[in-house]
């Protein structure tokens, strides 16, 4: 198989890689905020349960979680395995990444000086107004470098979808590598991820710059 | 003369340590009242209780006849949220560390609360905000961000931000303590200007000379109680209580 054909075939799977990537961000970024708020809840039980869930999600392999979400329903309840594997894959990724994002959000929120809350309170801002207008925009600026880290990792983690045979780029690359007894597809995959991450770096760099107008 | 603020029999403890003990304070309309005293005397806690940043354990807190908190069997019971909002609308607070919103321009810092909280018309608020910045000598900094300003300028913005809400009473929590000595003067000048315009103010301060010149009533606090109070010339120049005399001597030696 020529290099062109390989790139073309893997390129077809790249759309699915992108689907995992963007859908995971779409769901995990807001879900992470919800988890962070539950984690910081004043109701002890809620906070403890959330803490436990986060520790499980961060303390067990993403690969295991992928398998659990994809095949768990079959083994536990005898349900059919989803035909479109994108659904369980995105669910597993979104939940896993939400746990990481939640801790990043929490760190950001807890780093905010109490004076910002007090200034808003004295001026009569409601709790929601304070959070949405005063706290959150500043938190986003503070945590952006950590978010970039996670996003870069996510690009590479999409390759783990091969464990449930979802036909994204890396899965296809691995199949070609096996059938052709060639190492080239892995190099091609590496190049794909690297270029993808160059783009991620560029976009996040722009975002950081856009928020650098204040200290 | 009507009392804009009345604090009656306030009590406040932090984890068993009593910080305010059965303290009374009232502020009349147009009055400039300074609170002086050593650190740990409870003056900041008193201010934080008055501005609802801290909850009193016992006592009444009354703004212009409206009860923010009422003492019931020795416990302060706070009014429902609607009343609290009404009360909050009556006062402003200038913090020691300014606490400006760093992600907003100077103008937005001043304009947002009147628009968002008081639901006032944008054009009207903008005009008033620019006027206030003009008064503070910061008209040309309207589009700047707080991090681009000096401490003194930031503090003047925070005064403008508080004034934009048209408070009936303005509190200052050591407004010059975070500033270099050469920047202190510009803030004191602004406060003096407000006093001339008959703004009702309560100022916690370490600036004795300023307290004497600008205020028409001085309260000396120590150990959670008011030790001595009255006309600033009497309290600061001719204190009668031993604790006041010692404190003022220490301040002069610094």
């Amino acid at each position: 198989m020529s290099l062109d054909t390989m790139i073309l075939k893997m390129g077809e799977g790249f759309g699915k890689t992108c689907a995992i990537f963007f859908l995971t961000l779409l769901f995990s970024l807001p879900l992470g905020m919800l988890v962070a708020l539950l984690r910081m809840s004043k109701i002890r039980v809620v906070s403890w349960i959330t803490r436990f869930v986060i520790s499980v999600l961060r303390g067990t392999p993403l690969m295991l979680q992928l398998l659990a979400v994809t095949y768990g329903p079959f083994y536990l309840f005898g349900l059919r395995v989803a035909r479109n594997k994108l659904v369980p894959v995105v669910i597993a990724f979104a939940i896993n990444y939400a746990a990481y994002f939640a801790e990043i959000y929490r760190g950001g929120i807890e780093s905010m000086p109490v004076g910002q809350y007090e200034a808003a309170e004295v001026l009569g801002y409601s709790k929601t107004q304070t959070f949405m207008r005063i706290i959150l925009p500043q938190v986003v600026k503070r945590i952006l470098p950590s978010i970039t880290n996670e996003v870069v990792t996510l690009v590479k983690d999409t390759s783990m979808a091969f464990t449930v045979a979802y036909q994204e780029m890396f899965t296809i690359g691995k199949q070609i590598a096996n059938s052709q007894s060639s190492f080239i597809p892995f190099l091609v995959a590496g190049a794909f991820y690297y270029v993808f991450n160059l783009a991620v770096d560029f976009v996040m760099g722009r975002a950081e710059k856009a928020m650098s107008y204040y200290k | 003369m009507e009392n804009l603020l009345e604090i009656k029999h306030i009590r406040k403890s932090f984890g068993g340590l009593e910080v305010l003990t059965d303290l009374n304070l009232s502020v009349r309309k147009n009055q400039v009242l300074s609170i002086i005293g050593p650190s740990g005397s409870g003056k900041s806690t008193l201010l934080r209780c008055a501005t609802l940043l801290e909850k009193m354990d016992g006592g009444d807190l009354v703004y212009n006849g409206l009860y923010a908190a009422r003492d019931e069997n020795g416990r302060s019971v706070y009014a429902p949220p609607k009343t609290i909002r009404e009360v909050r609308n009556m006062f402003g607070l200038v913090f020691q560390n300014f606490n400006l919103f760093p992600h907003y321009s100077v103008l937005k810092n001043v304009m947002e609360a009147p628009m968002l909280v008081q639901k006032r018309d944008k054009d009207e608020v903008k005009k008033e905000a620019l006027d206030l910045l003009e008064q503070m000598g910061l008209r040309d900094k309207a589009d700047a961000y707080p991090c681009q300003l000096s401490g003194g300028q930031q503090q003047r913005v925070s005064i403008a931000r508080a004034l934009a809400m048209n408070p009936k009473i303005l509190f200052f929590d050591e407004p010059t303590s975070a500033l270099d000595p050469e920047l202190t003067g510009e803030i004191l000048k602004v406060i003096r200007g407000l006093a001339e315009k008959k703004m009702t103010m309560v100022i916690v301060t370490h600036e004795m000379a300023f307290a004497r010149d600008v205020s028409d009533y001085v309260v000396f606090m120590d150990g959670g109680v008011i030790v001595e109070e009255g006309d600033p010339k009497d309290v600061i120049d001719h204190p009668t209580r031993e604790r006041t005399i010692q404190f003022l001597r220490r301040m002069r030696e610094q």
Side-chain angles (χ1 to χ4, degrees), chain B residues 72-84:
Chain B
E72 281 171 27
N73 304 320
R75 311 283 320 157
S76 291
V77 178
Y78 279 80
K82 188 174 165 291
T83 313
I84 294 293

PDB file of all heavy atoms in Angstrom, chain B residues 72-84:
ATOM      1  N   GLU B  72     -33.727  39.642  68.821  1.00  0.00           N
ATOM      2  CA  GLU B  72     -34.821  38.911  69.461  1.00  0.00           C
ATOM      3  C   GLU B  72     -34.233  37.947  70.464  1.00  0.00           C
ATOM      4  O   GLU B  72     -33.524  37.019  70.094  1.00  0.00           O
ATOM      5  CB  GLU B  72     -35.668  38.176  68.404  1.00  0.00           C
ATOM      6  CG  GLU B  72     -36.640  39.124  67.712  1.00  0.00           C
ATOM      7  CD  GLU B  72     -37.342  38.478  66.515  1.00  0.00           C
ATOM      8  OE1 GLU B  72     -37.503  37.246  66.512  1.00  0.00           O
ATOM      9  OE2 GLU B  72     -37.722  39.224  65.596  1.00  0.00           O
ATOM     10  N   ASN B  73     -34.492  38.199  71.727  1.00  0.00           N
ATOM     11  CA  ASN B  73     -33.955  37.382  72.826  1.00  0.00           C
ATOM     12  C   ASN B  73     -32.437  37.225  72.727  1.00  0.00           C
ATOM     13  O   ASN B  73     -31.904  36.133  72.892  1.00  0.00           O
ATOM     14  CB  ASN B  73     -34.615  35.998  72.843  1.00  0.00           C
ATOM     15  CG  ASN B  73     -36.122  36.094  72.927  1.00  0.00           C
ATOM     16  OD1 ASN B  73     -36.655  36.930  73.658  1.00  0.00           O
ATOM     17  ND2 ASN B  73     -36.807  35.270  72.151  1.00  0.00           N
ATOM     18  N   GLY B  74     -31.764  38.321  72.418  1.00  0.00           N
ATOM     19  CA  GLY B  74     -30.306  38.291  72.407  1.00  0.00           C
ATOM     20  C   GLY B  74     -29.684  37.758  71.132  1.00  0.00           C
ATOM     21  O   GLY B  74     -28.470  37.646  71.039  1.00  0.00           O
ATOM     22  N   ARG B  75     -30.495  37.392  70.126  1.00  0.00           N
ATOM     23  CA  ARG B  75     -29.943  36.946  68.852  1.00  0.00           C
ATOM     24  C   ARG B  75     -30.396  37.911  67.758  1.00  0.00           C
ATOM     25  O   ARG B  75     -31.573  38.274  67.711  1.00  0.00           O
ATOM     26  CB  ARG B  75     -30.453  35.538  68.459  1.00  0.00           C
ATOM     27  CG  ARG B  75     -30.359  34.483  69.528  1.00  0.00           C
ATOM     28  CD  ARG B  75     -28.983  33.895  69.762  1.00  0.00           C
ATOM     29  NE  ARG B  75     -28.182  33.643  68.572  1.00  0.00           N
ATOM     30  CZ  ARG B  75     -26.845  33.560  68.611  1.00  0.00           C
ATOM     31  NH1 ARG B  75     -26.194  33.776  69.732  1.00  0.00           N
ATOM     32  NH2 ARG B  75     -26.181  33.307  67.524  1.00  0.00           N
ATOM     33  N   SER B  76     -29.489  38.286  66.887  1.00  0.00           N
ATOM     34  CA  SER B  76     -29.863  39.134  65.749  1.00  0.00           C
ATOM     35  C   SER B  76     -30.627  38.297  64.730  1.00  0.00           C
ATOM     36  O   SER B  76     -30.149  37.250  64.309  1.00  0.00           O
ATOM     37  CB  SER B  76     -28.623  39.704  65.066  1.00  0.00           C
ATOM     38  OG  SER B  76     -28.002  40.641  65.904  1.00  0.00           O
ATOM     39  N   VAL B  77     -31.821  38.765  64.385  1.00  0.00           N
ATOM     40  CA  VAL B  77     -32.579  38.088  63.337  1.00  0.00           C
ATOM     41  C   VAL B  77     -32.593  39.008  62.121  1.00  0.00           C
ATOM     42  O   VAL B  77     -33.043  40.159  62.203  1.00  0.00           O
ATOM     43  CB  VAL B  77     -34.019  37.781  63.797  1.00  0.00           C
ATOM     44  CG1 VAL B  77     -34.805  37.117  62.665  1.00  0.00           C
ATOM     45  CG2 VAL B  77     -34.005  36.894  65.032  1.00  0.00           C
ATOM     46  N   TYR B  78     -32.072  38.495  61.009  1.00  0.00           N
ATOM     47  CA  TYR B  78     -31.949  39.333  59.820  1.00  0.00           C
ATOM     48  C   TYR B  78     -33.239  39.388  59.022  1.00  0.00           C
ATOM     49  O   TYR B  78     -34.019  38.420  59.001  1.00  0.00           O
ATOM     50  CB  TYR B  78     -30.769  38.871  58.955  1.00  0.00           C
ATOM     51  CG  TYR B  78     -29.453  39.408  59.476  1.00  0.00           C
ATOM     52  CD1 TYR B  78     -28.818  38.794  60.546  1.00  0.00           C
ATOM     53  CD2 TYR B  78     -28.895  40.565  58.936  1.00  0.00           C
ATOM     54  CE1 TYR B  78     -27.645  39.304  61.058  1.00  0.00           C
ATOM     55  CE2 TYR B  78     -27.709  41.077  59.434  1.00  0.00           C
ATOM     56  CZ  TYR B  78     -27.093  40.446  60.502  1.00  0.00           C
ATOM     57  OH  TYR B  78     -25.935  40.967  61.003  1.00  0.00           O
ATOM     58  N   ALA B  79     -33.456  40.522  58.382  1.00  0.00           N
ATOM     59  CA  ALA B  79     -34.659  40.756  57.591  1.00  0.00           C
ATOM     60  C   ALA B  79     -34.652  39.868  56.351  1.00  0.00           C
ATOM     61  O   ALA B  79     -33.604  39.361  55.952  1.00  0.00           O
ATOM     62  CB  ALA B  79     -34.715  42.224  57.188  1.00  0.00           C
ATOM     63  N   PRO B  80     -35.823  39.669  55.727  1.00  0.00           N
ATOM     64  CA  PRO B  80     -35.878  38.869  54.493  1.00  0.00           C
ATOM     65  C   PRO B  80     -35.075  39.525  53.368  1.00  0.00           C
ATOM     66  O   PRO B  80     -34.811  40.731  53.410  1.00  0.00           O
ATOM     67  CB  PRO B  80     -37.365  38.830  54.155  1.00  0.00           C
ATOM     68  CG  PRO B  80     -37.996  39.915  54.949  1.00  0.00           C
ATOM     69  CD  PRO B  80     -37.155  40.089  56.168  1.00  0.00           C
ATOM     70  N   PRO B  81     -34.671  38.726  52.353  1.00  0.00           N
ATOM     71  CA  PRO B  81     -33.792  39.201  51.282  1.00  0.00           C
ATOM     72  C   PRO B  81     -34.229  40.515  50.641  1.00  0.00           C
ATOM     73  O   PRO B  81     -33.381  41.354  50.317  1.00  0.00           O
ATOM     74  CB  PRO B  81     -33.841  38.064  50.257  1.00  0.00           C
ATOM     75  CG  PRO B  81     -34.137  36.852  51.055  1.00  0.00           C
ATOM     76  CD  PRO B  81     -34.996  37.288  52.202  1.00  0.00           C
ATOM     77  N   LYS B  82     -35.522  40.710  50.477  1.00  0.00           N
ATOM     78  CA  LYS B  82     -35.998  41.921  49.814  1.00  0.00           C
ATOM     79  C   LYS B  82     -35.605  43.171  50.625  1.00  0.00           C
ATOM     80  O   LYS B  82     -35.114  44.150  50.071  1.00  0.00           O
ATOM     81  CB  LYS B  82     -37.523  41.848  49.662  1.00  0.00           C
ATOM     82  CG  LYS B  82     -38.102  42.954  48.821  1.00  0.00           C
ATOM     83  CD  LYS B  82     -39.598  42.737  48.595  1.00  0.00           C
ATOM     84  CE  LYS B  82     -40.276  43.973  48.074  1.00  0.00           C
ATOM     85  NZ  LYS B  82     -40.348  45.050  49.068  1.00  0.00           N
ATOM     86  N   THR B  83     -35.798  43.091  51.932  1.00  0.00           N
ATOM     87  CA  THR B  83     -35.426  44.209  52.809  1.00  0.00           C
ATOM     88  C   THR B  83     -33.919  44.407  52.809  1.00  0.00           C
ATOM     89  O   THR B  83     -33.426  45.537  52.772  1.00  0.00           O
ATOM     90  CB  THR B  83     -35.900  43.926  54.247  1.00  0.00           C
ATOM     91  OG1 THR B  83     -37.254  43.477  54.196  1.00  0.00           O
ATOM     92  CG2 THR B  83     -35.787  45.167  55.110  1.00  0.00           C
ATOM     93  N   ILE B  84     -33.183  43.278  52.839  1.00  0.00           N
ATOM     94  CA  ILE B  84     -31.719  43.361  52.832  1.00  0.00           C
ATOM     95  C   ILE B  84     -31.241  44.072  51.559  1.00  0.00           C
ATOM     96  O   ILE B  84     -30.344  44.919  51.609  1.00  0.00           O
ATOM     97  CB  ILE B  84     -31.087  41.947  52.931  1.00  0.00           C
ATOM     98  CG1 ILE B  84     -31.390  41.312  54.290  1.00  0.00           C
ATOM     99  CG2 ILE B  84     -29.591  41.989  52.672  1.00  0.00           C
ATOM    100  CD1 ILE B  84     -30.730  41.990  55.481  1.00  0.00           C
TER     101      ILE B  84
END
